[in-house]
Amino acid sequence: MFVTSAYAQTAPAATDPHAAPAGEAHTETGAAHGGGVFPPFDSTHFSSQLLWLVITFGLFYLLMKKVIVPRVGGILEHRHDRIAQDLDEAARLKAEADAAVETYEKELAAARSKGHKIAETAREAAKTKAAADRTAIEAELADKLSAAENRIGEIKAKAFAEVSQIAEDTASAIVDQLIGAKASGDDIKAAVAAAKTEA
């Protein structure tokens, strides 16, 4: 708009036949500007400046209202929807994670309970087996002890029988040595039996 005003000022001078040559016109224009008012502040141009200001503001307002504000509003709405979706997704994932943790804790508690039951069953089975083994070993030892006692009894009986025979033989030999005659077997058995009874 300022170019148009300047052009309007200089155009008549250029077409005026009485005007000075181009170089002089330039000098005069520079002189006029140097000593005159700055064109935007010149009151003669206020009406055109206000008109262009209103037109520019109106166009800018329409641009803001029809293009920029809807786009910004759309972007904000899109971001709001995206944030809401993200929050919903986060809440859903948190609920799933909580459910998974709860399921894990239940399964862990069940596994621990099952482990305790298995350990208790194993302990009871081990105790039962140990008791059965101990009973079997004790029965075996009792059988062996009984057999050993029977064997010892047999050995003792045999030893006592042999002791009696040895005593009788010894007594017979002693009698032979002492009196020079053989004693009868009945007398020797009677003497040995009497010695056993006294002992």
Side-chain angles (χ1 to χ4, degrees):
M1 67 186 148
F2 303 121
V3 175
T4 306
S5 301
Y7 180 76
Q9 287 181 352
T10 57
T15 56
D16 188 6
H18 301 292
E24 293 177 4
H26 179 69
T27 305
E28 289 176 2
T29 305
H33 285 294
V37 181
F38 184 58
F41 298 140
D42 189 1
S43 61
T44 59
H45 304 298
F46 279 172
S47 60
S48 65
Q49 290 177 2
L50 287 175
L51 176 66
W52 282 109
L53 176 65
V54 170
I55 291 171
T56 305
F57 181 77
L59 290 174
F60 183 69
Y61 177 77
L62 287 175
L63 179 68
M64 288 288 290
K65 183 177 179 183
K66 299 291 184 182
V67 178
I68 296 175
V69 171
R71 284 188 182 178
V72 171
I75 291 171
L76 291 177
E77 186 68 25
H78 177 69
R79 287 188 180 178
H80 180 270
D81 292 343
R82 182 66 182 269
I83 290 170
Q85 289 176 358
D86 289 345
L87 289 175
D88 292 341
E89 182 71 13
R92 185 182 65 79
L93 292 175
K94 184 179 181 300
E96 288 180 0
D98 291 342
V101 168
E102 185 177 354
T103 303
Y104 169 75
E105 288 177 352
K106 286 180 180 178
E107 289 179 356
L108 183 62
R112 284 178 179 167
S113 176
K114 188 175 181 181
H116 288 310
K117 287 179 182 177
I118 291 172
E120 189 66 27
T121 304
R123 272 197 298 270
E124 292 298 325
K127 285 181 182 178
T128 304
K129 187 175 184 306
D133 290 345
R134 186 176 63 237
T135 304
I137 291 171
E138 287 176 353
E140 185 179 352
L141 289 176
D143 291 341
K144 287 183 179 180
L145 183 61
S146 176
E149 287 176 352
N150 291 335
R151 178 74 176 146
I152 290 170
E154 291 174 1
I155 292 171
K156 281 174 74 177
K158 187 177 179 182
F160 282 138
E162 290 177 359
V163 166
S164 297
Q165 184 64 37
I166 292 170
E168 289 175 4
D169 291 342
T170 305
S172 176
I174 291 172
V175 168
D176 286 343
Q177 290 292 328
L178 289 177
I179 59 174
K182 287 196 174 199
S184 66
D186 293 333
D187 291 337
I188 291 174
K189 284 181 182 178
V192 170
K196 279 184 186 180
T197 303
E198 289 176 3

